[in-house]
């Protein structure tokens, strides 16, 4: 049995940083200590635990089976320490600890997003909280919530994981776009049909699980991306069509670089959700931020001029994909 002392906590924090950075060299800048010192810390930790935690050398950095167990246990330990600190400090009306928030990429231009307003509200609370804001794709954010790298994540629809809890926040409206130079760019909507659109290459986000393809009756994509910025680059090339959030595309539409196609027929809305891990105690800090997040949702809203669109998960293809149309549940 290993009794945890302060020196062990320091060594474990060095170890988890090495794992998060995927190696000693990258961890050097994060920890602000020399590589030789990092190596000495790892040797000390392995001697303390009497286990080889990682392989390092020309083949690269890799955790051993024991290393993976220690890493996951260390994350749980640090989470418990943060929870203890947060709960005890909250007795005096002060929020403390860390708050790690994950947000899907390219949502900052969405007027319906409550994140900035929630952060503003949270900053006005008595607190000494260190905030980490991570931006990534929905699947990556889900994985980070599961492994407790972040405390919560906000993103649009992806297949749900059973060990996460999901709560609705707001919706994001999207439309189908082509870029300047594309064969459809100069054609009037009156001349277009979904059949004509299907004839052109399409760029899809892989985590949509083909739902965007089914929306227009396509069987396969010509290009696949994880991040929305990559998808926008493909559309701006004039060689691909893609669904993009209207708020994200608006600046490029105003510049004459993008145009939407058949908005009434192809537009849809994605339901954005808050994801947290089941079975994890909600600290006062996390609880306070979630309260501010929902209060912020109440201050943002759909403009009266914007149509209400069906949510992504409620669209289904007809049996004949070539006679595709949205069907509400």
């Amino acid at each position: 049995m290993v009794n945890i002392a302060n020196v062990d906590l320091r060594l474990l924090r060095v170890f988890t940083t090495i794992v998060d950075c995927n190696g000693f060299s990258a961890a050097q800048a994060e920890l602000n200590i020399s590589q030789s010192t990092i190596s000495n810390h790892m040797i000390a930790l392995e001697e303390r635990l009497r286990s080889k935690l990682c392989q390092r050398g020309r083949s690269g950095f890799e955790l051993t089976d024991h290393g993976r167990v220690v890493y996951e246990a260390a994350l749980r330990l640090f989470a418990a320490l943060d929870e203890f600190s947060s709960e005890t400090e909250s007795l005096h009306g002060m929020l403390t600890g860390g708050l790690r928030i994950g947000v899907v990429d390219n949502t900052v231009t969405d007027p319906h997003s409550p994140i900035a307003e929630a952060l503003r509200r949270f900053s006005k609370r008595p607190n000494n909280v260190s905030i980490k804001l991570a931006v990534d794709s929905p699947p990556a954010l889900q994985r980070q919530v599961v492994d407790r790298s972040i405390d919560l994540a906000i993103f649009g629809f992806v297949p749900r994981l059973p060990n996460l809890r999901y709560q609705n926040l707001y919706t994001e409206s999207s439309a189908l776009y082509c870029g300047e130079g594309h064969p459809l760019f100069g054609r009037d909507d009156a001349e277009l049909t979904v059949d004509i659109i299907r004839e052109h290459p399409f760029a899809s986000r892989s985590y949509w699980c083909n739902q965007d393809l089914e929306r227009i009756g396509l069987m396969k994509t010509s290009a696949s991306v994880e991040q929305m910025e990559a998808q926008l680059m493909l559309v701006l090339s004039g060689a691909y069509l893609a669904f993009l959030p209207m708020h994200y595309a608006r600046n490029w539409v105003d510049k004459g670089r993008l145009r939407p196609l058949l908005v009434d027929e192809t537009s849809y809305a994605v339901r954005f959700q808050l994801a947290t891990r089941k079975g994890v105690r909600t600290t006062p800090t996390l609880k306070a931020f979630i309260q501010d997040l929902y209060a912020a949702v109440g201050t943002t809203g759909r403009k009266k001029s914007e149509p209400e669109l069906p949510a992504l998960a409620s669209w289904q293809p007809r049996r004949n994909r070539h006679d595709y149309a949205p069907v509400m549940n």
Side-chain angles (χ1 to χ4, degrees):
M1 178 178 178
V2 177
N3 294 317
I4 301 296
N6 286 338
V7 64
D8 299 315
L9 292 176
R10 184 166 67 251
L11 295 177
L12 286 170
R13 289 194 185 279
V14 170
F15 171 58
T16 56
T17 301
I18 293 170
V19 177
D20 292 340
C21 294
N22 197 35
F24 285 37
S25 298
Q28 184 177 347
E30 183 74 18
L31 293 167
N32 196 28
I33 57 178
S34 68
Q35 194 162 333
S36 60
T37 302
I38 293 175
S39 181
N40 289 336
H41 285 335
M42 278 300 304
I43 292 171
L45 181 61
E46 289 177 332
E47 290 178 350
R48 181 82 170 94
L49 298 177
R50 294 177 294 174
S51 296
K52 186 74 171 176
L53 301 181
C54 61
Q55 303 292 344
R56 50 218 187 253
R58 293 183 179 179
S59 59
F61 175 84
E62 185 177 359
L63 283 177
T64 64
D65 290 341
H66 286 177
R68 277 187 284 273
V69 171
V70 172
Y71 174 71
E72 292 172 2
L75 292 181
R76 292 194 297 271
L77 173 62
F78 294 145
L81 289 172
D82 286 343
E83 180 180 334
F84 175 81
S85 175
S86 177
E87 297 223 10
T88 54
E89 288 295 331
S90 69
L91 297 175
H92 306 288
M94 175 67 70
L95 299 173
T96 63
L99 180 61
R100 301 161 301 174
I101 306 166
V103 183
V104 71
D105 60 312
N106 296 303
T107 55
V108 69
T109 55
D110 191 346
H112 300 122
S113 171
I115 298 167
E117 172 63 16
L119 289 168
R120 186 191 70 80
R121 288 171 178 263
F122 186 81
S123 70
K124 293 185 179 298
R125 292 179 180 266
N127 79 82
N128 187 27
V129 176
S130 174
I131 291 181
K132 174 185 176 182
L133 187 61
V135 178
D136 216 324
S137 66
L141 292 174
Q142 285 197 125
R143 290 192 297 270
Q144 291 172 54
V145 177
V146 170
D147 66 22
R148 303 189 186 185
S149 298
I150 57 178
D151 300 306
L152 74 157
I154 300 166
F155 50 77
F157 173 83
V158 291
R160 294 188 174 200
L161 300 181
N163 48 354
L164 294 185
R165 179 183 295 106
Y166 300 86
Q167 298 168 269
N168 292 337
L169 283 177
Y170 68 102
T171 57
E172 176 189 74
S173 300
S174 292
L176 181 65
Y177 291 88
C178 68
E180 186 179 18
H182 191 278
L184 301 183
F185 190 81
R187 295 186 63 173
D188 190 272
D189 265 6
E191 303 174 5
L192 297 179
T193 64
V194 175
D195 286 333
I196 292 174
I197 286 173
R198 288 195 201 103
E199 298 172 359
H200 297 271
F202 189 84
S204 173
R205 273 169 269 166
S206 59
Y207 53 82
W208 273 164
C209 301
N210 294 330
Q211 286 204 40
D212 50 355
L213 299 179
E214 294 174 349
R215 188 171 306 286
I216 54 176
L218 280 174
M219 299 296 292
K220 65 178 181 178
T221 185
S222 300
S224 179
V225 302
E226 284 292 323
Q227 271 77 30
M228 200 181 304
E229 186 173 0
Q231 192 177 29
L232 175 61
M233 289 179 184
L234 290 170
V235 180
L236 288 172
S237 74
Y240 297 89
L241 304 177
F243 286 103
L244 296 169
M246 293 179 179
H247 66 84
Y248 184 51
R250 184 170 293 118
N251 180 54
W252 298 96
V253 172
D254 292 343
K255 292 179 179 179
R257 297 288 306 281
L258 293 180
R259 64 155 291 189
L261 301 171
L262 299 179
V263 174
D264 291 340
E265 296 181 47
T266 64
S267 298
Y268 66 93
V270 174
R271 184 177 295 109
F272 269 58
Q273 297 177 316
L274 165 67
T276 52
R277 199 178 193 279
K278 292 180 180 178
V280 176
R281 184 178 176 85
T282 303
T283 66
T285 295
L286 180 56
K287 181 179 180 180
F289 180 76
I290 291 175
Q291 288 174 345
D292 290 337
L293 190 62
Y294 275 96
V297 170
T299 67
T300 61
R302 185 174 303 279
K303 297 178 182 178
K304 292 182 179 179
S305 60
E306 294 182 358
E308 184 69 30
L309 299 172
L312 177 66
S314 67
W315 288 63
Q316 300 293 336
R318 290 182 178 177
R319 292 183 180 179
N320 182 357
R321 290 176 180 264
H322 298 289
D323 185 25
Y324 182 81
V327 177
M328 298 297 296
N329 288 339

